[in-house]
Amino acid sequence: MTSTPTCTVYFDGDCPVCRREIAHYQRQRGAEAIAWVDASGCEEAALGPGVDRAMLLSRFHVREADGSLASGAAGFVAIWRRLPAFAWLATLASFRPVLAAL
């Protein structure tokens, strides 16, 4: 991982589906620039400011480098934007009607 992550992804490591999907993203080129935080079992301090564990486990969240949070489909778009293999999907999903459908 680089010294300053481009974003932080919070995921539920207790969820088998979540673990599998996150593992897939972690194997992609570009993933080393993302901080991956298992919100189900990490230290409270690893969660960062303005969030709590219950909130992070209730829905998928990504913290951008500027501190803002993206959740749900917008969180996935934030990841896809950083992974070259998924950049085309980020572009497509960035259109409001597509993002709303997701």
Side-chain angles (χ1 to χ4, degrees), residues 22-102:
I22 293 300
H24 174 72
Y25 291 134
Q26 288 174 320
R27 290 189 299 271
Q28 303 301 311
R29 187 167 52 93
E32 65 282 350
I34 298 172
W36 304 92
V37 176
D38 178 355
S40 69
C42 68
E43 300 270 336
E44 195 73 26
L47 300 178
V51 296
D52 62 45
R53 193 176 312 275
M55 181 187 103
L56 294 175
L57 294 175
S58 69
R59 190 168 188 199
F60 184 72
H61 289 81
V62 174
R63 185 183 302 273
E64 297 283 3
D66 67 3
S68 63
L69 285 173
S71 66
F76 283 100
V77 171
I79 293 174
W80 298 338
R81 193 177 314 121
R82 290 164 173 89
L83 302 175
F86 291 89
W88 67 272
L89 191 54
T91 301
L92 176 66
S94 293
F95 293 106
R96 266 180 222 254
V98 175
L99 186 59
L102 291 173

